[in-house]
Structures are given as C-alpha cells and as structure tokens.
Amino acid sequence: EFRHAPPRNADGGEGGGEARYEWDFTLTAVVSSSSSASDAIGVIEFDQTDSLLATGGIARRIRIYVVEKLAGSDAACEFYMCTPAKLSSLKWKPGSGSRILGSGDYDGVVLEHDLERRFPVYERDEHSGRRVWSIDYASEYSSLSVGASASDDGTAQMWDARCDSCDSVAVLKPDPLTRTAICSVEFNPFGGHLVVVGSADRRVYGYDVRRMAAPVFKLDGHQKPVTYAKFLDGRTIVSSSTDGCLKMWRPEDLDHPIRTYSGHTNARRFVGLSVWRSGGLLCCGSEDNNVFVYDNRWSNPIWIRGFEETSNGAQRQSGSDPFVSGVCWRQSSCGETSTLVAGGSDGVLKVFGGRKR
C-alpha cells in the first residue's frame, strides 16, 4: 500500500502552509536477506560514491550490495561478512576508496573492516561493554582526521582515524552526572569543526572539536530520547525522537525548532532517519510498518509507503510486530530524481525510485 498523506497545516516557520505533493515514488527492487525472523536491518549506508550499499543489524552480518544491480529482478547481496555481535551502526571511512567500513555493535566495540580482504583490521573497545549506538567519521572536506562512537555508557569517544592508538583524543560527556545514553553522533558533512550528538536526556548537543570541554549549544524541545541528529545543510540540523516527531533546528536560534514533523509512529525503537541534502527531503521508518517521506518545508508527510508482511509470517508467530527499522537516501541523486532504500525488521530491503512531477 502507498498513499499521499492528507493535508495538514504546517506549524509555522519558513515555508508554512499546506504541503505540495511534488514527488512520485515507485518500488524498484525487493531483496530478502533471510527467511528468519531475527534478521532486522538496523542500519543502511551508501558509500561516498553511491555505488555500494552496506546493511547491518541483528543477524551479525554486514551485507554489501552493488547499487547498479539493485534495479534488476535478480537483485541480491554481492557478499557478506560475519561479525561477532549485533550491529547498530555502519559508516564508510573517508579517504579509503570505499575499502574500509566501520561498524559499532551491541558489545560496545568499534571495528573497521577491509572489504577487499573481508576481514576486520582495526578494533576499539573503550565503552566497557555498553552498546555502541552510532559511529561517524569527520568529512573528507574537513581538515580533521577523527572518528567518534556514541554509546549507552553516556559518552562519545573520539579517536585519531589515522593511527591505531587505543587512546581517545577526547571524550564527550553531555550529562556527566547521570551518564545518560548517547544515541547518535555526526560530524558536519560539509566540513568545519562541529559535531552533534543526540542524547537520551531529550536534547541535541553541539560541540566544537577544537574545544570539547563543554557544548557550544543545546537544542531542547523533544519529550523523549533523541535517537538521531543529522545535518541537512551546514547550518541546519534534523533530529528524531521516540516522542514520534522529527524537528528541524538552526543552532543560532536556540529557543525553538524551525519546524516539527509528525505522522509516523515511534515510541520505543530506532526506526532510522535519513536526509537527502540536495533535494531537501527527510525520511524515517515507523513502528506501524510504513516508510514516511517529508519535505523539509512542510510538517506533514508527503508520501507514505507500507511494508507488506513477509510471506512466512515468522515475526507474527514470534509475537513481534514488524516495523521499518532503517532508511537511507542516495545523496548523489539529481534534483529531479531520487533513490531511497528502506529496511524492515523482517530483514527485507526495498528500493524506491522517486521522480519530481
């Protein structure tokens, strides 16, 4: 099932008013990674060239896909690598020629995998066994050469990505007294010195990596933990929370978000958040087993697509309702066409092509 969302007034801000439904999306490929009910896709990442796609999740496998082959009827995983723990995060390492892929897992370990050798070549274990929820690397457009991991232990550890030293170059502690979990971390992909983290204390924190003793801003507006915080452009941040909302912010205006996006269902799980920067579109999953697309100019979704239940019904039999658990835009898509990939808790990967009317 797919449908446009019913019109609803935006909550003010720039571009207020009713949403314009300028995009049509069609399903172009379906890839089933497993018939097992325990193969939830937790993370989806395109490489920097948008020619490779990596997925990871509960099944303890990193799957690599060639993007050009995903449009065919025989779309399938190119190869996979087994991992020692469930995966929560993947990130391609800048400057590695799409050869090195970093991962964060439920055992609190960060690994870097050499895709040519299909073997882990680097390991960091400094979160005391607490789950790593998110990892990232500073952009290739930045003068920085650092990586970061965000964890249940209430810290974001930062390290020099050029060497194998086990020592962190900095440790971010937004809430040092209670050590509330940090759920996401992202460097400014356009360069510069800003890194943002989303915290279970309901806030988004921004840090200048040259002076990390204290945050340079706090964004406070969500009612529940912030699960993701991502840059839409060099000065705009989009956050997602288990309060069922996305919010768009500009750090210079700390009093309130520019806009709040609602319509999807998100009360307890990580459902993914991706921003298509050149097209101005946002996407997230939902606990009602739908994919939601928002235009950043309007608060209500412009497109909703349902994930059908897997034919074997394994998840229903296990007592767990299916949901959309990961999403990712292909960033190199032009302004008139787009590619969106979504993954479900049943291990099914779906590719959607978008075309502007």
Side-chain angles (χ1 to χ4, degrees):
E1 176 190 2
F2 69 94
R3 62 189 186 274
H4 291 300
R8 182 168 59 86
N9 287 336
D11 60 344
E14 300 171 6
E18 292 186 357
R20 294 198 299 268
Y21 306 111
E22 301 173 335
W23 287 88
D24 292 315
F25 291 88
T26 57
L27 180 66
T28 61
V30 178
V31 184
S32 181
S33 58
S34 172
S35 60
S36 168
S38 58
D39 202 9
I41 297 173
V43 59
I44 305 169
E45 285 288 329
F46 283 98
D47 75 335
Q48 289 92 339
T49 66
D50 281 334
S51 59
L52 296 176
L53 183 75
T55 69
I58 301 302
R60 295 182 172 89
R61 288 184 177 183
I62 296 173
R63 292 184 171 91
I64 304 297
Y65 299 86
V66 175
V67 174
E68 287 185 356
K69 296 181 180 180
L70 285 177
S73 59
D74 58 345
C77 170
E78 193 75 9
F79 66 89
Y80 68 84
M81 296 176 292
C82 294
T83 60
K86 300 174 184 178
L87 297 173
S88 58
S89 183
L90 295 171
K91 187 64 64 171
W92 298 86
K93 188 173 184 178
S96 69
S98 300
R99 177 175 177 172
I100 303 298
L101 180 67
S103 69
D105 67 30
Y106 279 44
D107 286 347
V109 177
V110 174
L111 292 172
E112 289 184 351
H113 309 265
D114 187 318
L115 300 192
E116 289 187 5
R117 298 166 58 188
R118 302 186 188 180
F119 190 81
V121 292
Y122 176 65
E123 177 178 336
R124 299 189 66 85
D125 185 4
E126 54 207 353
H127 289 289
S128 303
R130 304 290 297 277
R131 271 181 284 199
V132 171
W133 288 120
S134 176
I135 69 168
D136 195 28
Y137 296 96
S139 166
E140 59 187 331
Y141 304 110
S142 169
S143 60
L144 306 170
S145 295
V146 291
S149 55
S151 169
D152 258 347
D153 68 1
T155 71
Q157 302 277 345
M158 298 183 63
W159 68 88
D160 190 330
R162 298 167 298 182
C163 64
D164 296 335
S165 170
C166 291
D167 295 331
S168 295
V169 297
V171 181
L172 306 183
K173 299 178 182 179
D175 190 355
L177 295 179
T178 63
R179 287 293 187 99
T180 306
I182 301 179
C183 302
S184 71
V185 59
E186 184 171 89
F187 292 93
N188 187 340
F190 300 92
H193 301 94
L194 192 63
V195 59
V196 295
V197 299
S199 173
D201 71 1
R202 305 176 297 177
R203 298 180 180 90
V204 177
Y205 295 86
Y207 288 86
D208 186 320
V209 297
R210 299 166 298 183
R211 301 180 295 275
M212 291 184 285
V216 293
F217 63 80
K218 300 178 185 179
L219 306 177
D220 191 351
H222 283 291
Q223 302 303 308
K224 288 187 177 181
V226 174
T227 48
Y228 303 93
K230 295 183 177 293
F231 287 88
L232 179 61
D233 57 41
R235 57 188 286 264
T236 308
I237 296 165
V238 178
S239 59
S240 173
S241 168
T242 52
D243 62 9
C245 295
L246 311 181
K247 291 183 183 292
M248 184 166 67
W249 314 79
R250 291 210 176 100
E252 62 265 29
D253 185 4
L254 300 178
D255 294 335
H256 55 80
I258 300 170
R259 188 160 299 109
T260 297
Y261 308 88
S262 61
H264 60 283
T265 302
N266 187 196
R268 39 191 295 260
R269 297 182 172 105
F270 288 83
V271 296
L273 171 67
S274 185
V275 298
W276 180 30
R277 298 185 180 98
S278 61
L281 299 183
L282 320 175
C283 181
C284 64
S286 179
E287 291 170 19
D288 63 4
N289 212 27
N290 285 293
V291 181
F292 283 73
V293 173
Y294 297 88
D295 187 304
N296 79 89
R297 296 171 292 178
W298 300 293
S299 293
N300 50 298
I302 62 168
W303 185 78
I304 304 169
R305 170 71 190 236
F307 261 45
E308 296 81 3
E309 187 177 348
T310 52
S311 59
N312 62 13
Q315 276 200 297
R316 291 289 187 187
Q317 294 171 13
S318 69
S320 175
D321 291 334
F323 63 100
V324 175
S325 50
V327 295
C328 192
W329 291 103
R330 190 182 189 189
Q331 294 298 326
S332 64
S333 301
C334 71
E336 301 298 317
T337 62
S338 63
T339 301
L340 172 66
V341 181
S345 59
D346 56 3
V348 174
L349 196 68
K350 296 191 176 184
V351 184
F352 301 97
R355 182 169 295 277
K356 200 167 188 179
R357 296 177 181 177

